[in-house]
Amino acid sequence: MKTNRETYIIGNWKMNQDLGAITHFLDEVSDLKTEHHAWIAPQALHIDKCMKLKSEHIQIGAQNCAHEDSGAFTGENSPKTIKELGAHFVIIGHSERRSLYSEGDELLYKKTLKALENELVVVFCIGETLEQREANKVEEVLASQLLNGLRDIDSKNVIIAYEPVWAIGTGVTASPEQAGDAHKFIRGFIDKNLKLEDAQETSILYGGSVKPENIEELMSHEDIDGGLVGGASLKPDSYIMLHKNA
Ligand code: PGA
């Protein structure tokens, strides 16, 4: 029963979209009518511009942030600055950050704490690789990522995104059953082992090749509360269709 939970379609633009594309996108979605939260994570360098161009019902966030507010961290983006720009949320622990930039559980835990301290909502990503799925380790991996990354965090401002690594950018989507099983496990795990908001109230999004064509079926599962969407969130028509079909 997901009637109480908030639902989201979050666009993760990764290192895509130039200023022209952003202007066009935000103009096209300016009168979007939707029952889901409409959030977009552009490149950090574009947050300021997005804040100026967006309409009220869109929230802007970052794709990553540093684990400290300031200091000698060349090239990093401070969560405090992200908040000052007016952003609402930050994605932490995306698999591309975990694998390409070797971000481990301890760092992700610190980033989450700092982001929450700055009153940013955290979209915390977890997910198994194909190898781990084939070795029947899905639950073990999810449990360890949740426990190590969020261990004693006591906050209402955390959303979980389950993103199986093998489904990200590959065109292969987890079946509603595979995703649903993982979401059910995650909700049960939060209930028993974490201090986040009541597990029944925590929104758990699915990510990995979500498209307008499969969002409805995915979200029909009682434990799937929306999508974290890469490729299919770049074009305004597709983003609007995701909202309509969800
Ligand atoms: P995708 O990306 O929708 O392009 O698979 C999802 C993500 O990485 O968040």
Side-chain angles (χ1 to χ4, degrees):
M1 212 209 31
K2 67 174 151 206
T3 48
N4 297 334
R5 288 197 295 274
E6 303 288 318
T7 53
Y8 299 80
I9 305 293
I10 304 183
N12 173 12
W13 283 355
K14 310 193 180 186
M15 205 171 69
N16 295 303
Q17 308 284 64
D18 60 19
L19 283 177
I22 290 174
T23 308
H24 173 65
F25 184 101
L26 292 172
D27 186 42
E28 291 287 307
V29 302
S30 62
D31 54 4
L32 172 69
K33 302 266 180 301
T34 175
E35 56 193 72
H36 314 289
H37 291 281
W39 291 9
I40 298 289
Q43 298 179 52
L45 291 170
H46 287 151
I47 291 175
D48 194 39
K49 186 76 175 174
C50 287
M51 289 307 301
K52 292 184 174 115
L53 293 175
K54 81 179 184 79
S55 39
E56 219 171 86
H57 60 282
I58 307 273
Q59 296 284 11
I60 302 298
Q63 300 167 12
N64 174 36
C65 71
H67 65 294
E68 293 287 355
D69 283 343
S70 61
F73 302 103
T74 302
E76 276 296 346
N77 291 311
S78 156
K80 187 159 178 257
T81 309
I82 290 168
K83 182 68 185 181
E84 275 172 0
L85 290 176
H88 183 68
F89 71 99
V90 57
I91 299 170
I92 291 183
H94 189 279
S95 76
E96 285 148 22
R97 300 297 315 174
R98 290 178 189 262
S99 65
L100 300 175
Y101 301 96
S102 306
E103 294 192 1
D105 290 329
E106 196 53 31
L107 180 64
L108 299 175
Y109 170 71
K110 289 187 187 152
K111 287 182 180 214
T112 301
L113 281 181
K114 264 296 161 204
L116 291 170
E117 211 176 284
N118 281 287
E119 296 180 356
L120 291 161
V121 175
V122 169
V123 180
F124 191 82
C125 302
I126 55 174
E128 82 286 355
T129 61
L130 187 57
E131 210 177 26
Q132 290 164 333
R133 175 164 282 270
E134 285 172 351
N136 276 328
K137 290 196 169 146
V138 177
E139 295 188 355
E140 191 184 313
V141 171
L142 299 181
S144 141
Q145 290 174 338
L146 286 168
L147 198 58
N148 293 319
L150 298 173
R151 46 182 184 261
D152 54 359
I153 290 174
D154 171 7
S155 171
K156 283 184 175 3
N157 289 330
V158 177
I159 294 169
I160 307 292
Y162 168 62
E163 298 206 302
V165 178
W166 47 272
I168 296 177
T170 57
V172 181
T173 319
S175 68
E177 200 188 6
Q178 284 171 319
D181 284 352
H183 282 229
K184 212 180 181 114
F185 171 78
I186 293 165
R187 200 175 300 290
F189 188 87
I190 293 172
D191 190 33
K192 287 200 206 78
N193 303 288
L194 298 181
K195 296 189 177 147
L196 300 180
E197 186 173 29
D198 179 340
Q200 286 307 322
E201 304 283 316
T202 302
S203 296
I204 306 176
L205 317 185
Y206 167 79
S209 300
V210 175
K211 317 179 253 273
E213 298 76 38
N214 59 24
I215 186 89
E216 183 181 3
E217 200 184 4
L218 284 161
M219 279 188 66
S220 65
H221 192 284
E222 60 180 290
D223 284 302
I224 301 181
D225 308 310
L228 178 57
V229 191
S233 74
L234 294 171
K235 295 264 183 324
D237 292 357
S238 171
Y239 187 71
I240 291 166
M241 282 314 286
L242 283 163
H243 276 272
K244 290 214 155 66
N245 295 348

